[in-house]
């Protein structure tokens, strides 16, 4: 069965520092992979997605993620974090190869120190 | 871009009453809508998938008689929590998939249900 693991429950970084949020997935074929951000009490906003092609994908707000098949990973990165990036981040995989039915990881809460 | 509106954003009700949450796709036709539930500090759990004009498909462990889902049009799906109890208190989020051209799932802002 498909699954998504986000090993870090909570990460704190200083403003201006680089960020990497880890995501590992379990899926037999090439997955559809997503990163979403959720601010408190809000819905989810898509940061970026990977379907095929170039394994380094660029998203909104300066985020990028790299698909590594050998490691079953899709880590999210940002070179310089802003205070407004503090939020909950969810990695997701399209269940059964679907782009619509998603399985989410448990999320990583990002705190940003001034 | 594709927009999904969810209403109400917050609702408080008494135990035993029913609550309806609406999910609308504002600028595209949503052939499929998904309903998720999110417990505090946890991830989203898919409750059910609804396709316009047909019965919803519920995930294992989700009571279909308690969580009634209707997807009567291509722009509207509703989730009705029947005979709500305090343990039904949660954050409910819908998402829509359709012909928006964006080729991605669009999420609503969520509805916070509190059952007293």
């Amino acid at each position: 069965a498909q699954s998504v693991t986000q090993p870090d429950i909570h990460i704190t970084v200083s403003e201006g520092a680089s960020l990497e949020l880890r995501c590992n997935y379990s899926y037999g074929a090439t997955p559809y992979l997503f990163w979403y951000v959720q601010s408190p009490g809000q819905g989810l906003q898509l940061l970026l997605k990977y379907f095929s092609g170039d394994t380094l994908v660029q998203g909104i707000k300066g985020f990028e993620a790299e698909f590594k098949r050998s490691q079953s990973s899709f880590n999210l990165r940002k070179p310089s974090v802003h205070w407004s990036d503090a939020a909950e981040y969810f990695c997701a995989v399209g269940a059964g190869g679907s782009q619509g039915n998603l399985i989410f990881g448990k999320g990583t809460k990002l705190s940003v120190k001034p | 871009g594709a927009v999904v509106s969810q209403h109400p954003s917050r609702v408080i009700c008494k135990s035993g009453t029913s609550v309806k949450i609406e999910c609308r796709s504002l600028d595209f036709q949503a052939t499929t809508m998904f309903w998720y539930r999110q417990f505090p500090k946890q991830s989203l759990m898919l409750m059910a998938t609804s396709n316009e004009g047909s019965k919803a498909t519920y995930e294992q462990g989700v009571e279909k008689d308690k969580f009634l889902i209707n997807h009567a049009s291509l722009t509207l799906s509703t989730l009705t929590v029947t005979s709500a109890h305090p343990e039904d208190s949660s954050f409910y989020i819908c998402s829509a998939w359709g012909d928006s051209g964006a080729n991605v799932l669009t999420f609503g802002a969520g509805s916070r249900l509190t059952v007293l």
Side-chain angles (χ1 to χ4, degrees):
Chain A
Q2 298 97 342
S3 65
V4 177
T5 302
Q6 291 179 249
D8 304 306
I9 297 173
H10 189 185
I11 285 182
T12 300
V13 299
S14 298
E15 189 168 17
S18 63
L19 170 71
E20 181 169 33
L21 302 182
R22 295 184 291 167
C23 172
N24 293 96
Y25 67 90
S26 172
Y27 184 65
T30 300
Y32 295 136
L33 294 163
F34 306 81
W35 273 100
Y36 285 88
V37 60
Q38 183 182 35
S39 297
Q42 300 294 315
L44 277 73
Q45 181 182 23
L46 179 68
L47 288 175
L48 47 78
K49 63 184 185 292
Y50 172 79
F51 289 168
S52 64
D54 192 347
T55 56
L56 183 64
V57 293
Q58 303 296 321
I60 62 172
K61 304 184 178 185
F63 286 93
E64 66 177 27
E66 186 171 11
F67 169 59
K68 293 186 177 180
R69 183 189 300 277
S70 62
Q71 299 177 19
S72 297
S73 69
F74 189 57
N75 294 348
L76 181 71
R77 301 193 293 250
K78 186 169 185 177
S80 178
V81 170
H82 189 263
W83 64 266
S84 60
D85 293 324
E88 189 93 19
Y89 291 80
F90 291 96
C91 181
V93 62
S98 165
Q99 299 175 31
N101 185 351
L102 301 183
I103 295 174
F104 286 86
K106 292 186 181 296
T108 298
K109 182 178 180 179
L110 174 65
S111 297
V112 180
K113 294 189 299 185
Chain B
V3 178
V4 172
S5 172
Q6 211 173 317
H7 178 79
S9 58
R10 292 179 180 271
V11 56
I12 300 173
C13 69
K14 293 182 178 180
S15 185
T17 61
S18 295
V19 174
K20 180 184 286 187
I21 300 170
E22 293 186 347
C23 179
R24 293 181 184 273
S25 56
L26 297 186
D27 49 2
F28 67 100
Q29 292 186 324
T31 51
T32 304
M33 286 186 169
F34 302 88
W35 285 95
Y36 291 85
R37 181 174 181 176
Q38 185 179 27
F39 290 101
K41 299 184 179 181
Q42 298 207 17
S43 187
L44 285 75
M45 300 299 294
L46 180 66
M47 298 174 65
T49 303
S50 73
N51 293 295
E52 185 268 336
S54 61
K55 290 184 178 181
T57 302
Y58 290 80
E59 295 299 303
Q60 191 172 8
V62 177
E63 300 176 59
K64 60 183 66 178
D65 293 332
K66 180 167 190 61
F67 298 99
L68 301 179
I69 292 173
N70 183 281
H71 192 167
S73 79
L74 283 171
T75 59
L76 174 64
S77 176
T78 60
L79 167 67
T80 301
V81 183
T82 62
S83 186
H85 291 282
E87 58 264 30
D88 298 325
S89 298
S90 191
F91 194 56
Y92 294 88
I93 303 178
C94 73
S95 62
W97 175 262
D99 65 350
S100 66
N103 208 29
V104 293
L105 195 62
T106 305
F107 282 82
S111 299
R112 171 77 58 194
L113 170 63
T114 302
V115 184
L116 303 177

